[in-house]
């Protein structure tokens, strides 16, 4: 029930943020004039505390599944798309690709489908370019290089 409340709240706030945006088209373009995407500098793996939470799990879990989330690479590829931003369609494509990658990576059809869908549902509103968060669509803008004189 709490998850449903959170999703409804995020969707509602996202709609308010979108309606308050002065020039919406500015949020939906590819970011240029920024450093090339470097996962070590520009990606936190899986946002929302997922990577950090996995890191503190017992050694037994890491021995069985590995040192990082098994689907961490899916998140890095997703971060690459978010870093540069683009159109709404490109964001939708990136969010769907994250879901499919997670589904494919997690062994077990049902658990992979569920986790992939949960992640897609989280990033769809949570990654809105209207939020000034470090994981928003087009967050590469935060790394813009100063103009040369």
């Amino acid at each position: 029930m709490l998850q449903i409340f959170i999703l409804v709240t995020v969707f509602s706030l996202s709609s308010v943020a979108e309606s308050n945006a002065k020039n919406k088209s500015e949020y939906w373009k590819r970011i240029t004039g920024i450093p090339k995407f470097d996962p070590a500098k520009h990606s936190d793996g899986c946002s929302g505390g997922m990577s950090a939470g996995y890191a503190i799990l017992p050694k037994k879990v890491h021995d069985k599944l590995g040192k990082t989330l098994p689907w961490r690479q899916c998140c890095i590829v997703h971060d690459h798309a978010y870093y540069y931003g683009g159109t709404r369609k490109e964001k939708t494509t990136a969010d769907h690709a994250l879901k499919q990658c997670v589904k494919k990576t997690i062994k077990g059809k049902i658990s992979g489908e569920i986790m992939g869908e949960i992640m897609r549902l989280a990033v769809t509103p949570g990654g809105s370019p209207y939020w000034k968060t470090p994981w928003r669509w087009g967050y590469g803008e935060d790394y813009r290089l100063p103009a040369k004189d």
Side-chain angles (χ1 to χ4, degrees), residues 1-13 121-122 125-126:
M1 190 58 136
L2 178 60
Q3 293 88 347
I4 293 171
F5 172 76
I6 291 169
L7 284 173
V8 168
T9 302
V10 170
F11 275 113
S12 299
L13 291 174
L121 287 171

Side-chain angles (χ1 to χ4, degrees), residues 32-116:
T32 58
I34 57 177
K36 183 179 175 191
F37 179 80
D38 177 351
K41 294 178 184 175
H42 305 128
S43 176
D44 64 355
C46 296
S47 300
M50 197 175 280
S51 288
Y54 186 84
I56 63 172
L57 290 175
K59 185 180 180 315
K60 242 192 244 187
V61 174
H62 293 180
D63 289 344
K64 183 175 181 177
L65 299 176
K67 289 179 73 174
T68 63
L69 279 169
W71 58 88
R72 187 175 192 277
Q73 190 58 37
C74 301
C75 297
I76 292 171
V77 170
H78 189 250
D79 285 351
H80 180 270
Y82 266 56
Y83 180 78
Y84 290 106
T87 66
R88 289 176 192 259
K89 184 177 181 181
E90 289 170 319
K91 181 181 181 306
T92 299
T93 299
D95 293 347
H96 182 72
L98 173 66
K99 173 188 172 178
Q100 295 299 36
C101 183
V102 170
K103 177 182 172 182
K104 182 178 175 184
T105 303
I106 296 176
K107 306 299 184 236
K109 185 169 173 55
I110 303 235
S111 57
E113 180 71 36
I114 291 169
M115 181 55 80

